[in-house]
Amino acid sequence: MRFEFATAARIVFGAGTLDDVGRIAAGIGQRVLVVRGVPIAQTDPLLALLDEQGLVTDTFAIEGEPSIDLVQRGVEQARAFEANVVIGFGGGSAIDTAKAIAALLTNPGQPLDYLEVIGLGQPLTAAAAPCIAIPTTAGTGAE
């Protein structure tokens, strides 16, 4: 029997791990879009850690499940901000939205160009922007 498990390129976990996010993000870019599903006050420690590393940040708040329109607005904000790193901070919805924004940030067009069944189902031609997932709820599995 053969078994293969493909997952994120790197997973860092454990007590105090959030303290490393600024250094990790600084190693991959300088302009960070933080997609947050948590209240801004809960995002402040993350933003402070990024600021300590000299990173320029912008936030994109979401509520509820990601929609095509929400993702498109996030992509437009990320492009206008010239983000080169995306961080999803919150539950599964924030992380899923961040992943979609990261993928579309480096590829032209609209979300429907790439969605199967309801869209055109085109393949992504460029690698996604670097994306860091920071789950704040247990069990999302979105990371």
Side-chain angles (χ1 to χ4, degrees):
M1 178 190 306
R2 181 179 172 176
F3 178 78
E4 185 173 330
F5 180 71
T7 187
R10 181 177 180 198
I11 296 175
V12 181
F13 64 96
T17 301
L18 183 64
D19 294 341
D20 296 334
V21 72
R23 181 184 49 76
I24 292 169
I28 54 179
Q30 291 298 309
R31 299 183 65 81
V32 182
L33 178 70
V34 176
V35 179
R36 64 176 186 82
V38 297
I40 190 68
Q42 291 180 358
T43 310
D44 287 345
L46 169 62
L47 296 175
L49 290 166
L50 298 172
D51 185 59
E52 286 174 9
Q53 294 293 318
L55 301 173
V56 180
T57 60
D58 192 11
T59 61
F60 183 69
I62 66 149
E63 293 182 17
E65 296 298 318
S67 67
I68 293 168
D69 290 338
L70 178 73
V71 169
Q72 183 59 40
R73 286 195 312 272
V75 171
E76 290 168 2
Q77 182 174 329
R79 287 180 179 157
F81 175 64
E82 298 181 352
N84 53 19
V85 178
V86 180
I87 294 178
F89 187 68
S93 294
I95 293 171
D96 286 343
T97 302
K99 291 187 299 186
I101 291 170
L104 293 171
L105 181 58
T106 57
N107 286 278
Q110 308 293 317
L112 281 174
D113 294 338
Y114 303 100
L115 290 175
E116 297 175 353
V117 181
I118 63 168
L120 300 177
Q122 297 175 353
L124 296 170
T125 56
C131 186
I132 298 172
I134 304 172
T136 61
T137 61
T140 70
E143 66 278 5

